[in-house]
Amino acid sequence: MNELIRLPKYLASSGVASRRVAETLIVAGRVKVNGIPVREPGRKIDPRCDRVEVDNIPVETASEKKYYLLFKPRGYLTTVRDPFGRPTVMDLFPEGVKTGLFPVGRLDMDTEGLLLLTNDGEMAFRLTHPRFQIEKKYLAMVKGVPSEGDLLQFHKGILLEEGLTSPAKVKVVLPGKRKTLLLITIREGKKRQVKRMCLAIGHPVISLKRVSFAFLNLNGLHPSAYRALTREEIRKLSVLVGLKV
Ligand code: URA
């Protein structure tokens, strides 16, 4: 049987990084196979006999998979390490728990809400891949009072630098005179997407909170708190992204 797998997939399944990040590590020359740097993300290896190192540290084959749901507070970066020493979401996990974890997608520093973290690179890759269209809901407090016409644009698609957004849903949760609370549902994950969509219709975001990701929500958690996903939740997520369970 052919046991060869592509290097980024191997690194992801070993919990080193998501597949996308693994590809950048490879291109940057930080990955060695049998002591020799490899810069082609298409390279295949045999995990039974090839020795893989990242930054000269041997990659261990997948340890136990971990999945956490965090209520990210404002003021924390969604990254594993910040070269400027700013607070990161990893600071919210104790030493023993955070080993190998990385965030699934990202929330801006000033956005709060639901963030998944895992050491399962394949799951993270799929959950953030546009193909799987995972639904995300955001509560956005925006400046002013959007008209019916403004809100219709969410359904039709809003023109951003990269092109038109896919149809999104929007509901007014709390109307006001100077600001309006909107519930926005998107199935994409472009950078700063919600803020840019709101800005494009002339109603900039004042504050933003992600309240759900797929079928998961923040129930029972306060800002900075986290919990492990249940087996059933992991199974349901796997099914959503076409992974065997
Ligand atoms: N959209 C944004 O603009 N920011 C986030 O943090 C998440 C989605």
Side-chain angles (χ1 to χ4, degrees), residues 106-108 111 138 192-196 208:
R106 38 169 270 151
L107 292 177
D108 298 333
T111 299
Y138 294 87
R192 302 183 62 249
Q193 180 164 346
V194 175
K195 287 182 190 162
R196 289 192 293 142
L208 189 62

Side-chain angles (χ1 to χ4, degrees), residues 72 78 106-112 138 186 188-197 205 208 210:
K72 176 196 173 295
T78 306
R106 38 169 270 151
L107 292 177
D108 298 333
M109 191 162 191
D110 60 356
T111 299
E112 63 176 344
Y138 294 87
I186 59 173
E188 299 170 288
K190 300 184 200 300
K191 211 169 172 199
R192 302 183 62 249
Q193 180 164 346
V194 175
K195 287 182 190 162
R196 289 192 293 142
M197 288 168 93
V205 166
L208 189 62
R210 179 151 75 191

Side-chain angles (χ1 to χ4, degrees), residues 81-183:
R81 242 169 271 108
D82 178 49
F84 302 105
R86 291 170 293 180
T88 81
V89 289
M90 305 315 297
D91 299 339
L92 300 164
F93 290 86
E95 280 309 321
V97 176
K98 70 176 160 201
T99 314
L101 285 188
F102 48 83
V104 176
R106 38 169 270 151
L107 292 177
D108 298 333
M109 191 162 191
D110 60 356
T111 299
E112 63 176 344
L114 197 161
L115 182 70
L116 292 181
L117 294 101
T118 182
N119 61 351
D120 180 346
E122 185 60 26
M123 176 79 102
F125 175 78
R126 289 176 180 234
L127 286 173
T128 51
H129 196 285
R131 173 150 71 102
F132 295 103
Q133 304 222 331
I134 300 295
E135 187 178 87
K136 283 138 312 211
K137 288 189 198 295
Y138 294 87
L139 276 176
M141 183 64 85
V142 298
K143 269 199 189 159
V145 183
S147 66
E148 282 295 314
D150 292 334
L151 297 181
L152 199 59
Q153 292 195 53
F154 281 89
H155 301 271
K156 289 186 176 161
I158 294 175
L159 192 59
L160 302 179
E161 265 169 45
E162 322 78 318
L164 211 56
T165 58
S166 318
K169 291 187 216 154
V170 63
K171 257 200 268 181
V172 175
V173 177
L174 207 59
K177 286 196 180 127
R178 293 170 177 211
K179 51 188 188 176
T180 307
L181 187 63
L182 301 176
L183 180 67

Side-chain angles (χ1 to χ4, degrees), residues 32-51:
K32 287 182 187 164
V33 177
N34 302 325
I36 298 164
V38 164
R39 286 177 183 266
E40 306 83 49
R43 169 71 181 268
K44 288 186 172 171
I45 61 138
D46 184 340
R48 293 165 306 178
C49 52
D50 286 324
R51 212 167 16 87

